[in-house]
Amino acid sequence: AQSVTQLDSQVPVFEEAPVELRCNYSSSVSVYLFWYVQYPNQGLQLLLKYLSGSTLVKGINGFEAEFNKSQTSFHLRKPSVHISDTAEYFCAVIPEGFQKLVFGTGTRLLVSP
Amino acid sequence: KAGVTQTPRYLIKTRGQQVTLSCSPISGHRSVSWYQQTPGQGLQFLFEYFSETQRNKGNFPGRFSGRQFSNSRSEMNVSTLELGDSALYLCASTWDGSSYNEQFFGPGTRLTVL
């Protein structure tokens, strides 16, 4: 079975500060890794995904994530956040061959001026 | 290209009733998945349909069912509603159902059970 752990339920940061949202996963099979963002009263939007190849993945809105196989981590980073980045962020995995996202519990990013 | 649409956006029902939610995927997409989002359990996979066939199923009771039509539109039905069924129900579509393709999410249907 697969599981995803997002240790931080809430991360407060000031505008223009860097941020890292942590994600660890466990799986007995190969997985694809994703980060989604959910703005209030909206569905989920894909930020970035790791399928294979370079372990550093760049996504939309200036976000990037690094896949670390030995630590089974896929942390999300942004060098300088904006107020508009305030949202809930979900890390997720899909086992290879399935179409079933397994989500972490989410991290609420709160950006203040 | 229009995104994934879900109707209705909001729904209020009472315990014991049944409800049907609808999802129209992006044109050309053949796979539709459903997820339940609650504050306590987070986002949980319900089921996935591809070309009118259920391919994957999550750990939900039989009160939760779904179907997909030939035009890829999907419906989800919940019978004998319980208070705990109050949630945001999200559907997502992808064109071929492959694991590595992005799932595009709709805005969700917020179901409140009184």
Side-chain angles (χ1 to χ4, degrees):
Chain A
Q2 299 76 35
S3 68
V4 178
T5 302
Q6 292 182 250
L7 287 171
D8 305 305
S9 60
Q10 191 164 289
V11 173
V13 292
F14 289 108
E15 193 174 19
E16 297 183 9
V19 70
E20 178 180 83
L21 306 183
R22 297 179 293 169
C23 172
N24 288 86
Y25 71 95
S26 66
S27 176
S28 56
V29 299
S30 297
V31 296
Y32 300 118
L33 298 153
F34 303 79
W35 274 99
Y36 281 87
V37 60
Q38 186 177 35
Y39 299 102
N41 299 315
Q42 294 187 28
L44 279 70
Q45 180 183 7
L46 181 68
L47 278 176
L48 49 78
K49 62 182 178 183
Y50 174 78
L51 304 180
S52 64
S54 172
T55 56
L56 183 63
V57 181
K58 293 190 183 298
I60 62 171
N61 301 340
F63 284 94
E64 63 180 33
E66 185 153 21
F67 169 59
N68 187 318
K69 188 173 182 179
S70 63
Q71 297 186 5
T72 59
S73 67
F74 190 53
H75 301 332
L76 181 71
R77 302 186 185 99
K78 186 169 183 177
S80 176
V81 295
H82 302 288
I83 297 286
S84 59
D85 292 325
T86 294
E88 187 125 25
Y89 292 78
F90 293 93
C91 181
V93 302
I94 287 186
E96 191 173 353
F98 290 87
Q99 189 56 230
K100 168 190 170 180
L101 279 161
V102 176
F103 287 92
T105 50
T107 297
R108 186 171 299 276
L109 177 64
L110 297 169
V111 183
S112 54
Chain B
K1 189 186 259 190
V4 177
T5 57
Q6 292 186 247
T7 57
R9 291 292 311 276
Y10 301 91
L11 207 49
I12 300 175
K13 292 287 188 178
T14 56
R15 277 180 300 174
Q17 287 187 307
Q18 76 165 21
V19 67
T20 299
L21 312 182
S22 180
C23 172
S24 292
I26 291 172
S27 177
H29 284 194
R30 295 162 61 193
S31 169
V32 174
S33 298
W34 288 88
Y35 296 86
Q36 181 195 63
Q37 185 176 22
T38 60
Q41 299 297 319
L43 281 152
Q44 292 187 291
F45 172 79
L46 280 155
F47 29 65
E48 183 236 350
Y49 285 86
F50 181 79
S51 293
E52 303 178 64
T53 301
Q54 186 181 89
R55 287 201 306 187
N56 291 287
K57 191 176 187 305
N59 296 323
F60 279 82
R63 300 185 298 108
F64 292 81
S65 63
R67 59 178 176 168
Q68 187 180 34
F69 302 94
S70 58
N71 62 357
S72 294
R73 188 177 70 85
S74 178
E75 287 182 347
M76 190 191 89
N77 185 274
V78 188
S79 62
T80 319
L81 283 166
E82 300 177 0
L83 294 178
D85 296 333
S86 294
L88 181 67
Y89 290 89
L90 296 164
C91 82
S93 75
T94 184
W95 78 275
D96 69 348
S98 298
S99 308
Y100 46 81
N101 281 325
E102 176 183 355
Q103 292 191 31
F104 291 85
F105 283 81
T109 294
R110 185 164 296 281
L111 171 64
T112 302
V113 182
L114 303 176

